[in-house]
Amino acid sequence: MPAPPAGASLAPMGLLLVAGGTGTAGRAVVREATARGWDVRSLSRRLPAPEDAAGGVEYVIGDAATGAGLAAALEGVEVFVDVLEGLRGRARRDYALAGRRLLDAARGSGTDRAVSLSIVAADRFPIGFYRAKLAKERVYEEHPLPTTVLRCAQFHDLVAEVFRAGARLGVIPCLRGARLQPIDVRDVAKVLLDAAAEPAGGHLALTACGPEIRAMAELAEAWKHAEGSTARIVEIPVPGRSGRVLAEGGNLVPEAARGTITFEQWLAERHQPVPGA
Ligand SMILES: NC(=O)c1ccc[n+]([C@@H]2O[C@H](COP(=O)([O-])OP(=O)(O)OC[C@H]3O[C@@H](n4cnc5c(N)ncnc54)[C@H](OP(=O)(O)O)[C@@H]3O)[C@@H](O)[C@H]2O)c1
């Protein structure tokens, strides 16, 4: 009999909660977890539109930042995967707190272990967004529940969205000297769920980046080509320590190239001709 894929099991799987299961990473985790045989529950502040809801998944409402609905969301859960986001303002301020509330509620409900998604080089960029990621990593590291934190590189979706937003105004911003190692969210989901299937232990820190290291400007060229965009690529200087980190490639982790899908492959998938159209 062929060996099951990494993280898969022939035994029946338990109930897995995806905190943030309606987001970009969350939707990929929900799909992959369902395919691997987990019973899946998703937590978010709003329910997905019916056309975006995955079959067989239980969608519940709660707010990890306030704790509302968490006890019910975690009832019967074996393991949870935290793919929440907190981009700015209050959501960013409460980002680490949301992780703590989830962990505390999980402990109270008999949940075995937790996996959280963070960002590569969370400790290197002296900006608020990264500080919030680092603060949340610490919460997971220090909590008595067995935990794994996965740092991952920028998603292909995010890179494309940055280019698209700029192109609408006629210019595509690229950070001067920046190289990226973008990753497909489906690859991220696989690594998260491999970790979720591990038996409970202490704390584990992992990293996952995409298969290629590319200059941001090269990625922008690829995006322009795929989209037929005529927008101009404009290099933006990055001052101070952040600029130095980028120039030194401090955001890159070649030995953690666990992603399998390149940016160009991801773009090509989006531009497949629709049969019959
Ligand atoms: N984007 C990237 O390139 C990238 C790269 C590396 C790491 N990451 C990390 O990946 C994680 C997920 O990013 P993403 O882009 O998938 O985020 P996203 O698309 O914004 O999704 C966030 C999810 O969390 C839910 N959520 C947010 N605040 C919540 C709260 N207080 N209580 C309950 N649910 C809440 C959202 O639903 P509602 O709004 O309905 O609540 C949504 O389901 C983030 O931690 C990010 O740092 C992202």
Side-chain angles (χ1 to χ4, degrees), residues 124-161:
R124 308 200 74 165
F125 290 97
I127 50 179
F129 175 73
Y130 277 78
R131 288 201 184 102
K133 301 289 173 215
L134 193 60
K136 188 169 175 189
E137 287 188 1
R138 298 270 183 270
V139 166
Y140 274 81
E141 251 171 68
E142 289 164 10
H143 202 273
L145 197 80
T147 57
T148 301
V149 169
L150 173 68
R151 285 185 176 180
C152 83
Q154 285 66 38
F155 305 158
H156 294 323
D157 311 67
L158 174 79
V159 175
E161 189 44 47

Side-chain angles (χ1 to χ4, degrees), residues 20 22-25 45-46 63-64 84-85 95 117 133 153 155 158:
T22 58
T24 305
R45 291 165 300 180
R46 286 157 297 211
D63 187 339
L84 300 175
E85 182 54 291
Y95 182 67
L117 184 58
K133 301 289 173 215
F155 305 158
L158 174 79

